Amino acid sequence: MAAARCALALALLAAPTQALAARRRSPVRMSIAPSDVVVMMNGLPGKMGYSCAEACVARGMTLADVALTGEPFAGTPTDDRIPKVDLVAGGSDEAEKRGAELAKKCKEQGKVLVAVDFTAPQAALPNAEYYARHGMHFVMGTTGGDYDAIGKTVTDGKHGAVVAPNMSKQIVAMQAVVDQAARDFPNAFAGYDLTVIESHQKAKVDTSGTAKAVVASLKELNGGGFQVEDVEKVRNDETSLNGANGRLGKVPSEHLPGHAYHTYALTSGDGTVTFELRHNVNGRSTYAEGVADACLFLAAKADAGFPRARFLGRRKRLFDMIDVLQEGAMS
Amino acid sequence: MAAARCALALALLAAPTQALAARRRSPVRMSIAPSDVVVMMNGLPGKMGYSCAEACVARGMTLADVALTGEPFAGTPTDDRIPKVDLVAGGSDEAEKRGAELAKKCKEQGKVLVAVDFTAPQAALPNAEYYARHGMHFVMGTTGGDYDAIGKTVTDGKHGAVVAPNMSKQIVAMQAVVDQAARDFPNAFAGYDLTVIESHQKAKVDTSGTAKAVVASLKELNGGGFQVEDVEKVRNDETSLNGANGRLGKVPSEHLPGHAYHTYALTSGDGTVTFELRHNVNGRSTYAEGVADACLFLAAKADAGFPRARFLGRRKRLFDMIDVLQEGAMS
């Protein structure tokens, strides 16, 4: 009988578990003094570069005096929003030399060096290889790179990374919640119509990536045939300002050049019931704050030697924003 | 080593599991022909009684020709929205006699009898005892009763029941999703302000019960000190019609006498990011449809002899709307 129970128990243990449930067994939270973290802000003089640098400095981290940039921007002086940074071209000998010096100096001073990467799709993998060569931990928000290859530079190395296409903790949490809902309650909204409308700055041509991801989950809830092309894109100042007659939040005029407003609506077949989810973002601060959180998370993990998540667990060095969120949940 | 692994496996099995994860191991879906289900609609001539009766008939179920009502309403003729029903006072000898006859007739004809209860708080427990005496399965949406005592009438008996304070599958799903989110991501919205505004018909004095339940979860997400008293109640036709200047959905004038509109908003400390959840219900059809779903769910379970949910599982006869939802997910 005991043997049978044991066999049953082992069989059940082998069953697949939900990702989130497994992640709940997290270790106690670890932390590091922000002043012990040095951030190499690669992607300056881009807007996200400035926003991330400002957020990290505001949180008490130190900005490295050198950073990678695209070749046309090498030597561009940084402006006075942030401490002075020398911008060197990624892939250059200068980049190798300055990177090695920076890594050496941080090590000597007992600081944890974290590179932040908001560069370009074609730079993502070469930069990841650069971080591996110099043993730099990194937080990468650059999209469009080869995520598998980038992940391999980390798992093959000894350093750590947070890699995520969306660095906003709250948006990532919202996406995870909707995704879980679709798995828990497929067809709970059968017979409901799904409509999606989003507004972004006029310069953004394609459909919101967040909308695409959320729609992929929501369509499980109503079991319907919603297509990405059915997302209504607003790229018109007047409509953005008036909130598409109540269907969207109203975009403040100063944020017309940079905003991301979304409304997902599920409406019952008889029209009597509507559920709406809206997420409206002005500017870049939620992403920059997420980057700062990710830097502190990663530096603390590195400082603790990337401890095992649990007894007999593997040492984990490659993370995403869900990991950062879950760590926050332990605080 | 094998013994150690076995002990570890057994220890892990003993760990508490999330309710939803456990419920995912549901049996294959069972069903019953609606024409084999007889519904005793207790709570006529109330509005929910009519709505539920209409929904059940529209789905092909048969309405019993007798039902329990409050003493002042005994003998009231039902109107022509539904097949004729004799309304007898709950607790009367007539109710006992007619109930016994109905149960006997259904049994002889091979029909499954399900009582639906939308009565009054003080009638809920006496009615549950009545259902137990007559072996009637029941779906109870009546609120304010003693749920523990009502549940005990079922677990002590041989019949089944679906008992839930909110019979809308979609609202119940939404509540479960928010509740799970609060457990998965506590403090993910730390530093965000929570605001809640709801509109109901003017006759509703107290704060929405759904709002209270959702707020209990949302406050875990921002870790803040939101109080139920902070919910802004709209009981004013003009504000309901204009949607509180965009903060609520606009209530159609014909639904001013019966609606439930809610907006929950989480706004970042710097005001740049807002997440909103809105659920707007006009009339009673979403609740009535949920009752019809619950009747078919319960009748199918009863028809199959309330099978065990899994190998070595217990026979379950007392259900809530999450069970109904999860069964739907299997279809």
Side-chain angles (χ1 to χ4, degrees):
Chain A
M1 181 58 196
R5 278 183 66 202
C6 178
L8 175 65
L10 286 169
L12 287 174
L13 267 185
T17 53
Q18 291 294 328
L20 278 175
R23 287 175 185 217
R24 273 183 210 111
R25 293 187 291 270
S26 287
V28 290
R29 184 169 191 261
M30 59 201 78
S31 63
I32 188 169
S35 56
D36 285 335
V37 181
V38 175
V39 172
M40 182 191 205
M41 184 58 243
N42 300 326
L44 285 167
K47 289 174 181 175
M48 267 311 292
Y50 274 106
S51 293
C52 293
E54 288 181 287
C56 289
V57 169
R59 299 277 278 275
M61 292 174 258
T62 303
L63 202 59
D65 63 358
V66 63
L68 304 182
T69 192
E71 202 168 347
F73 303 103
T76 308
T78 53
D79 68 31
D80 58 8
R81 278 177 283 175
I82 57 171
K84 182 175 171 294
V85 179
D86 297 335
L87 301 185
V88 301
S92 66
D93 290 345
E94 178 76 359
E96 293 299 323
K97 178 170 160 283
R98 295 289 300 267
E101 285 170 5
L102 175 63
K104 182 162 174 274
K105 190 172 134 200
C106 287
K107 197 168 183 180
E108 286 168 359
Q109 298 181 345
K111 307 282 189 187
V112 179
L113 174 61
V114 178
V116 172
D117 198 292
F118 271 93
T119 59
Q122 69 277 13
L125 181 55
N127 285 1
E129 290 164 345
Y130 174 91
Y131 306 139
R133 273 199 303 284
H134 295 285
M136 293 178 184
H137 314 296
F138 67 97
V139 172
M140 181 173 280
T142 309
T143 54
D146 179 340
Y147 284 116
D148 288 341
I150 291 165
K152 194 164 184 302
T153 65
V154 179
T155 50
D156 286 352
K158 292 183 173 172
H159 59 313
V162 175
V163 181
N166 189 318
M167 302 300 301
S168 165
K169 287 202 301 182
Q170 292 78 27
I171 289 177
V172 168
M174 185 268 302
Q175 285 184 251
V177 166
V178 175
D179 183 53
Q180 186 67 42
R183 276 181 279 146
D184 285 339
F185 302 113
N187 297 319
F189 291 78
Y192 276 61
D193 288 322
L194 174 62
T195 57
V196 182
I197 180 169
E198 52 96 335
S199 170
H200 284 78
Q201 56 278 7
K202 283 183 285 189
K204 182 176 174 64
V205 177
D206 55 332
T207 300
S208 154
T210 307
K212 288 182 195 169
V214 172
V215 159
S217 298
L218 288 180
K219 63 196 279 196
E220 294 297 316
L221 287 174
N222 81 333
F226 193 90
Q227 303 292 323
V228 166
E229 301 80 58
D230 297 331
V231 173
E232 185 177 341
K233 291 196 293 284
V234 174
R235 300 288 184 272
N236 171 298
D237 287 352
E238 195 186 335
T239 310
S240 299
L241 287 168
N242 75 25
N245 293 320
R247 295 166 60 217
L248 275 171
K250 293 180 184 178
V251 180
S253 57
E254 68 270 28
H255 289 296
L256 286 173
H259 67 276
Y261 277 46
H262 300 73
T263 298
Y264 313 86
L266 281 161
T267 305
S268 64
D270 67 1
T272 61
V273 185
T274 302
F275 289 83
E276 273 189 12
L277 176 65
R278 299 180 173 207
H279 52 94
N280 301 335
V281 176
N282 294 314
R284 288 173 290 276
S285 75
T286 189
Y287 310 109
E289 290 300 325
V291 166
D293 285 328
C295 287
L296 291 174
F297 164 91
L298 189 60
K301 289 282 185 194
D303 189 51
F306 298 105
R308 302 179 198 282
R310 58 184 187 277
F311 182 61
L312 296 184
R314 289 200 309 167
R315 291 188 189 280
K316 183 173 175 175
R317 288 181 288 106
L318 180 59
F319 304 94
D320 60 24
M321 285 304 283
I322 295 282
D323 295 302
V324 178
L325 267 169
Q326 293 290 114
E327 189 84 358
M330 299 291 135
S331 65
Chain B
M1 180 59 196
R5 279 183 65 202
C6 178
L8 175 65
L10 286 169
L12 287 174
L13 267 184
T17 53
Q18 291 294 328
L20 278 174
R23 287 176 184 215
R24 273 183 210 112
R25 293 187 290 270
S26 287
V28 290
R29 184 169 192 261
M30 59 201 77
S31 63
I32 188 169
S35 57
D36 285 335
V37 180
V38 175
V39 172
M40 182 190 204
M41 184 58 243
N42 300 326
L44 284 167
K47 289 174 181 174
M48 267 310 292
Y50 274 106
S51 293
C52 292
E54 287 181 287
C56 289
V57 169
R59 299 277 278 276
M61 291 174 259
T62 303
L63 202 59
D65 63 358
V66 62
L68 305 182
T69 192
E71 202 168 347
F73 303 104
T76 309
T78 52
D79 68 31
D80 58 9
R81 278 177 282 175
I82 57 171
K84 182 175 170 295
V85 179
D86 298 335
L87 301 184
V88 301
S92 66
D93 290 345
E94 178 77 359
E96 293 298 323
K97 178 170 161 283
R98 294 290 299 268
E101 286 170 5
L102 175 63
K104 182 162 174 275
K105 189 172 135 202
C106 287
K107 196 168 184 179
E108 286 168 0
Q109 297 182 347
K111 307 282 189 187
V112 179
L113 174 60
V114 178
V116 172
D117 198 292
F118 271 93
T119 58
Q122 69 277 14
L125 181 56
N127 285 1
E129 290 164 345
Y130 174 90
Y131 305 139
R133 272 199 303 283
H134 296 286
M136 293 179 185
H137 313 297
F138 67 97
V139 171
M140 181 173 280
T142 308
T143 54
D146 179 340
Y147 284 116
D148 288 340
I150 291 165
K152 194 164 185 300
T153 65
V154 179
T155 50
D156 285 353
K158 292 183 174 173
H159 59 313
V162 175
V163 181
N166 189 319
M167 302 300 301
S168 165
K169 287 202 301 182
Q170 292 77 27
I171 289 176
V172 168
M174 185 268 302
Q175 285 184 251
V177 166
V178 175
D179 184 53
Q180 186 67 43
R183 276 181 278 144
D184 286 338
F185 302 113
N187 297 319
F189 291 78
Y192 277 61
D193 288 322
L194 174 61
T195 57
V196 182
I197 180 170
E198 52 96 335
S199 170
H200 283 78
Q201 56 279 6
K202 283 183 284 188
K204 182 176 174 65
V205 177
D206 55 332
T207 300
S208 154
T210 307
K212 288 182 196 169
V214 172
V215 159
S217 297
L218 288 180
K219 63 195 279 196
E220 294 296 316
L221 287 173
N222 81 333
F226 193 91
Q227 304 292 323
V228 166
E229 302 79 58
D230 298 330
V231 173
E232 185 177 341
K233 292 195 294 283
V234 174
R235 299 289 184 272
N236 171 299
D237 287 352
E238 195 186 335
T239 310
S240 299
L241 287 168
N242 75 25
N245 293 319
R247 295 165 60 217
L248 276 171
K250 293 180 184 178
V251 180
S253 57
E254 68 269 30
H255 289 296
L256 285 174
H259 67 276
Y261 278 45
H262 299 73
T263 298
Y264 314 86
L266 281 161
T267 305
S268 64
D270 67 1
T272 61
V273 185
T274 302
F275 290 82
E276 274 189 13
L277 175 65
R278 298 179 173 208
H279 52 95
N280 302 335
V281 176
N282 294 314
R284 288 173 290 275
S285 75
T286 188
Y287 310 109
E289 290 301 325
V291 166
D293 285 327
C295 287
L296 292 174
F297 165 91
L298 189 60
K301 290 282 185 193
D303 189 51
F306 298 105
R308 303 180 198 282
R310 57 184 186 277
F311 182 62
L312 297 184
R314 288 199 309 167
R315 290 187 190 281
K316 182 173 176 177
R317 288 181 288 106
L318 181 60
F319 305 94
D320 60 24
M321 285 304 284
I322 295 282
D323 295 303
V324 177
L325 267 169
Q326 293 289 114
E327 189 84 357
M330 300 290 135
S331 66

